[in-house]
Amino acid sequence: MRGTRRLTIALIAATCLLAGVAIGLVIPRAAQITAASPDQTGRVDGTTARSAGRNVYSPDIRHDSYVRQEQLKLVEMLERQCRIARENCDLAKASREALERD
C-alpha cells in the first residue's frame, strides 16, 4: 500500500512537471506566431517590440538603441530626483552631458 502511494505521488508529480514544461514551451511560441509585425506591436511604455532588448551581437553597445533608451531613463530619473529631493544634482548634470556628448 505504501509503495503504491509513493508511486502514485511520483506519477502525479512527473505529470505536473511535464505539463509545466510543455506549457512553458508552447506559450512563447504561440505568442510569436500570433504577434503582429514588430513595427505594429506597441507597448505600454511607448517602445516597440523591436527595441524590447539589446542587440547582443552588436560589438558597440554605446550606440545600441535599447541601451540609449535605458540610459535616457536613468538620466531622467536622476534629474527628477534632483528636482524633487535636491539630491544627486551634480551626477544628473554630468550624466545628461555625457549622454548628449555621445
Side-chain angles (χ1 to χ4, degrees), residues 12-27:
I12 290 172
T15 303
C16 291
L17 182 65
L18 286 174
V21 169
I23 290 171
L25 291 174
V26 170
I27 288 177

Side-chain angles (χ1 to χ4, degrees), residues 36-54:
S37 68
D39 294 335
Q40 297 172 350
T41 305
R43 293 175 29 159
V44 175
D45 62 0
T47 60
T48 61
R50 189 178 356 183
S51 64
R54 175 171 137 47

Side-chain angles (χ1 to χ4, degrees), residues 75-89 92:
V75 168
E76 289 171 351
M77 285 191 302
L78 282 170
E79 290 172 341
R80 191 174 320 119
Q81 183 181 21
C82 176
R83 280 192 312 268
I84 295 171
R86 303 283 184 223
E87 295 177 353
N88 296 323
C89 294

Side-chain angles (χ1 to χ4, degrees), residues 5-102:
R5 185 174 180 164
R6 281 189 176 172
L7 180 63
T8 304
I9 292 172
L11 286 173
I12 290 172
T15 303
C16 291
L17 182 65
L18 286 174
V21 169
I23 290 171
L25 291 174
V26 170
I27 288 177
R29 289 185 185 152
Q32 289 175 354
I33 292 170
T34 59
S37 68
D39 294 335
Q40 297 172 350
T41 305
R43 293 175 29 159
V44 175
D45 62 0
T47 60
T48 61
R50 189 178 356 183
S51 64
R54 175 171 137 47
N55 181 5
V56 294
Y57 299 109
S58 172
D60 184 19
I61 65 167
R62 290 180 1 175
H63 302 294
D64 188 286
S65 62
Y66 176 77
V67 174
R68 298 290 286 178
Q69 286 176 356
E70 293 301 310
Q71 288 174 339
L72 183 61
K73 286 180 191 177
L74 291 172
V75 168
E76 289 171 351
M77 285 191 302
L78 282 170
E79 290 172 341
R80 191 174 320 119
Q81 183 181 21
C82 176
R83 280 192 312 268
I84 295 171
R86 303 283 184 223
E87 295 177 353
N88 296 323
C89 294
D90 293 335
L91 180 61
K93 182 179 178 185
S95 299
R96 174 61 73 179
E97 290 172 357
L99 189 63
E100 290 175 353
R101 190 175 39 235
D102 283 341

